[in-house]
Each structure stands twice: as structure tokens, then as C-alpha cells.
Amino acid sequence: MGVTKSEFFTKEQNEIATIAKVLGHPARIAILDFIIKLETCGCGDLVKDIGLAQPTISQHLKELKKVGILKGKIEGTSVCYCIDEEKWDSIRNKFNKFLNKNSTENCC
Amino acid sequence: MGVTKSEFFTKEQNEIATIAKVLGHPARIAILDFIIKLETCGCGDLVKDIGLAQPTISQHLKELKKVGILKGKIEGTSVCYCIDEEKWDSIRNKFNKFLNKNSTENCC
DNA sequence: CTTATTAATCGTAATATTACAATAAACATA
DNA sequence: TATGTTTATTGTAATATTACGATTAATAAG
């Protein structure tokens, strides 16, 4: 037990849940907010801005990279992180589609 | 350790992360899909449709109620679950706002 | 070559989540 | 009252997540 039974669900359900799960931590929302503002995008800047330890930020960045939301470009000793705009668009579409489903009837 | 440091983040960041976290499990997406289709909305119907055990579904329903996405109306021995349309709208707005942020520059 | 600088990885403790059997609670019906 | 039906709760095992110190890896600067 303790392990999600993905085989019970559709591809679409698993996909939206996977993205939502990654967005389900305020540090990762803060990272995305910061990178979108683009006040620079190195790991160290995020550490300073957010206040969590460097390995923790690095771990969150890894999660965001894993699902394809972030890309990283190595620049000397530093890394520049950016949103993958294509992925971002597809996420926006998925969530729009899901959240715009409207129930017609209502029992309560 | 092991506990999310919510005090490091803004109210908005914590709010969107809380909702995303609840949407971050395919069973809860499947529950919402089913209720939106409204092929009836009792816990037993969800158990049959999804295939997880009744206590597991009940637990997921509890999560969805906790953040206000679902309301439940008791009807005899059964319970009718429904989307809270007002909350659903506010979630749609929050996600739209978040996902429509666009980074102008891009380093990679 | 040595010493910073920056980010990733490893290891691990604390905590949270997922799933379900067993049970309880609430109501309906015979 | 006894019995069935439906959902919630309790308890618990398995697993996942979060956070960070210590370390490593890679490049830059002196």
C-alpha cells in the first residue's frame, strides 16, 4: 500500500494529476513566479529569494525539470533556468480544459 | 524537517499550491470527472466506477471537501456529492491568473 | 596548481500520503 | 427490534515527500 494505483485512471487523469502534484508545493510556485519575473534565474538567486537551503531548492528545480516545465542552460559555474514555453502552454490548455468542464445538474 | 515551510511564501503561493496538491492525485481527478458528468454522485458509485476500496474513496472525498471543492448533501443512508460552483470558479480564476503569467525574456 | 564559486548529489531524519481491513455510525425497512 | 445499506472513522503498513548537512563536480579566477 501507500503507492498510487495509476493503472486505475485514464492517461488524461494521470497527466493532469502529475502536473498538479508538481505545482502542489509553494516553493515550486515561488520558483516559477521568480523565474517568470526573470529577476535572474540561477539557483543561488532562488535560494536568496526564497530562503530554503540550496539542496532543497535544487531538489525542487529537479522536480520542475522532470515534468518539463523548466529548462536549464549552463553558463560557466552558474545555470540559467527558464520556463519551457511550449510545455507551459500545454499545461495551460490541460487545466483550462479540465477546469472549464461544468456540471449542469446539481443535487446540493 | 519533512514539513513544508509555508511561512516562507505568500498567501497566493500557498493557496495555489494547496489546491494543486489536492488535484495532484488521479483518483481525485477521476472523482471530479465523474461528479461533473453526474452519472449519480454517491460514494458507492465512485467506488464502483474507480475501483479503489470504499475507505480510500471516502478519504479522497474528505480531501476534496476540506479545500471546499466538494459539498455533500445527506439523502437517507446515501450522500450526494457536488462541486461547489463558487469555489470551482475561484480555482479556475486562480489557475488562469497563474498560468497566464508570461515571461518576456528568456535565457535558454 | 590552488582557491573560490556555483549547483548537483548523497544520505538521512522528520513528516505526510496512500491504501485498505475492520469497525462504527446513521438511517431505512421488514 | 432486527437487518440491510451506505458512508465515515480508526488503525496501520508501505511508500513518498520535504528539508538540509556534507560532499562532490565543474568551471572560473588568481
Side-chain angles (χ1 to χ4, degrees):
Chain A
M1 305 156 200
V3 63
T4 297
K5 300 193 165 175
S6 304
E7 70 275 15
F8 282 29
F9 312 104
T10 68
K11 187 168 164 285
E12 285 71 25
Q13 287 166 345
N14 281 309
E15 278 174 356
I16 199 150
T18 299
I19 298 296
K21 192 172 184 179
V22 170
L23 298 180
H25 194 291
R28 293 191 286 267
I29 299 293
I31 287 172
L32 293 173
D33 275 346
F34 192 82
I35 291 180
I36 288 167
K37 274 193 301 176
L38 213 64
E39 300 183 351
T40 74
C41 50
C43 175
D45 303 301
L46 290 162
V47 172
K48 251 182 265 176
D49 184 61
I50 294 174
L52 292 172
Q54 181 268 322
T56 307
I57 296 291
S58 194
Q59 196 172 294
H60 285 303
L61 286 168
K62 198 177 175 181
E63 296 289 315
L64 288 164
K65 275 190 287 183
K66 202 173 67 186
V67 298
I69 298 180
L70 287 188
K71 297 186 287 189
K73 194 178 73 174
I74 297 170
E75 291 188 340
T77 58
S78 185
V79 178
C80 175
Y81 286 102
C82 300
I83 305 282
D84 184 319
E85 297 294 344
E86 217 169 306
K87 184 72 183 178
W88 193 248
D89 284 348
S90 93
I91 290 171
R92 181 168 38 229
N93 288 338
K94 274 198 183 64
F95 273 88
N96 274 340
K97 200 171 161 188
F98 176 70
L99 293 169
N100 284 321
K101 289 176 184 168
N102 265 310
S103 51
T104 41
E105 294 174 61
N106 210 317
C107 62
C108 35
Chain B
M1 303 153 200
V3 62
T4 296
K5 300 192 166 176
S6 304
E7 71 275 15
F8 282 30
F9 311 105
T10 68
K11 186 169 164 286
E12 286 71 26
Q13 288 166 345
N14 281 309
E15 279 175 356
I16 201 150
T18 299
I19 298 296
K21 192 173 185 179
V22 169
L23 297 179
H25 194 290
R28 293 192 287 267
I29 300 294
I31 287 172
L32 293 173
D33 275 347
F34 192 82
I35 292 180
I36 288 168
K37 274 192 300 178
L38 211 65
E39 301 181 351
T40 73
C41 50
C43 176
D45 304 302
L46 290 163
V47 171
K48 250 181 266 175
D49 184 62
I50 294 174
L52 292 172
Q54 181 268 322
T56 307
I57 297 291
S58 195
Q59 194 173 296
H60 284 303
L61 286 168
K62 198 177 175 183
E63 297 288 314
L64 288 164
K65 276 190 287 181
K66 203 174 67 186
V67 299
I69 297 180
L70 288 187
K71 296 185 286 187
K73 193 177 74 174
I74 298 170
E75 290 186 342
T77 59
S78 186
V79 177
C80 175
Y81 286 102
C82 300
I83 305 283
D84 184 319
E85 297 293 345
E86 217 169 306
K87 184 71 184 179
W88 193 249
D89 285 346
S90 94
I91 289 171
R92 180 168 39 228
N93 288 338
K94 272 198 185 62
F95 273 87
N96 274 339
K97 200 171 159 187
F98 177 69
L99 293 168
N100 283 319
K101 288 176 187 170
N102 265 310
S103 51
T104 42
E105 293 175 64
N106 211 318
C107 61
C108 34

